[in-house]
Amino acid sequence: MKKIIVFASGSGTNAENIIKYFAKTKIANVVSIFTNNASAKVIERAKNHQIPVEIFSKNELLERNVLQKIQEIDPDLIVLAGFLLKFPENIIEKYPNKIINIHPALLPNYGGKGMYGMHIHRAIVNNKEKETGISIHYVNENYDEGGIIFQKNVALTEEDTPETVAEKIHELEQKYFPEIIQAVLEDSIKENSKK
């Protein structure tokens, strides 16, 4: 059974979806949730599924505390699901191509520092984009610049608001993120493949 650690900073809907998905498989389990936000709703969601939670500060992430806790677990994959801090190089170096993130836009567009959540959806609506989507990618030392594993697009209309864009993205995340995590664990997906 492979081991997944999920890092999340907020409500944890993607984290919980991943927990539920893998609870029904014999491939992997989410063994721990790591969060930098002591009041994040993801903590409650994890507890509802009896998943241990590690709460840490930004300093603990940048120093070696978080890396040590990860090494004790020895995960097969680290998944960032709505995790807002920049991931430190000391962890990336220890786990090359074993850290993946989901981004609520079609990278390289709308990536980089400050581009997350509703900030992205507002920018997409303001720019009158005809489509948006999700990107699942490996994590490297720069925001949203690691190799792309999977992208899925969704059409937009002139009536779309940032809120309706968020709903469309959430549907894609819920459907595809667990499947792609499974594919990465099974090594059945080639980098840069596009469906």
Side-chain angles (χ1 to χ4, degrees):
M1 198 65 124
K2 293 184 185 281
K3 291 186 280 190
I4 301 168
I5 294 176
V6 177
F7 276 73
S9 298
S11 75
T13 52
N14 274 325
E16 185 170 42
N17 189 41
I18 294 163
I19 291 167
K20 286 178 174 173
Y21 179 92
F22 284 101
K24 295 184 206 140
T25 74
K26 293 188 167 64
I27 296 148
N29 270 325
V30 175
V31 294
S32 188
I33 298 283
F34 279 60
T35 184
N36 60 307
N37 179 355
S39 57
K41 196 159 192 310
V42 72
I43 297 167
E44 189 186 319
R45 292 181 195 273
K47 286 183 177 160
N48 290 340
H49 295 278
Q50 290 80 48
I51 307 283
V53 177
E54 291 284 350
I55 302 168
F56 58 87
S57 67
K58 188 173 181 181
N59 283 345
E60 286 172 317
L61 180 66
L62 297 174
E63 291 156 12
R64 301 191 65 79
N65 311 45
V66 173
L67 175 59
Q68 283 169 340
K69 285 178 177 159
I70 292 171
Q71 287 178 300
E72 285 164 21
I73 294 169
D74 189 27
D76 296 280
L77 195 66
I78 298 169
V79 175
L80 311 189
F83 183 67
L84 299 182
L85 296 180
K86 190 162 187 253
F87 223 60
E89 287 184 35
N90 65 4
I91 301 176
I92 294 167
E93 282 166 14
K94 280 271 190 255
Y95 295 93
N97 292 327
K98 287 195 170 183
I99 308 169
I100 66 172
N101 181 41
I102 190 162
H103 187 75
L106 296 169
L107 292 172
N109 300 329
Y110 301 100
K113 190 169 169 55
M115 289 310 269
Y116 61 89
M118 292 306 286
H119 297 288
I120 293 172
H121 307 323
R122 279 188 208 102
I124 281 167
V125 169
N126 290 343
N127 291 337
K128 301 187 177 4
E129 296 286 1
K130 298 278 187 279
E131 66 172 15
T132 186
I134 57 169
S135 302
I136 299 169
H137 64 93
Y138 290 107
V139 173
N140 68 10
E141 61 281 357
N142 300 314
Y143 277 114
D144 305 323
E145 287 182 20
I148 290 173
I149 301 164
F150 174 87
Q151 290 185 311
K152 185 72 182 174
N153 58 342
V154 62
L156 298 177
T157 69
E158 286 176 13
E159 284 76 49
D160 271 311
T161 64
E163 290 71 25
T164 62
V165 173
E167 284 169 23
K168 289 180 177 183
I169 291 297
H170 189 65
E171 277 179 35
L172 293 181
E173 289 173 339
Q174 295 280 298
K175 177 168 173 33
Y176 291 104
F177 202 15
E179 291 176 7
I180 299 304
I181 292 167
Q182 179 175 337
V184 168
L185 285 167
E186 293 175 340
D187 292 324
S188 64
I189 200 159
K190 297 281 183 278
E191 219 170 292
N192 298 318
S193 72
K194 218 173 179 183
K195 286 187 183 173

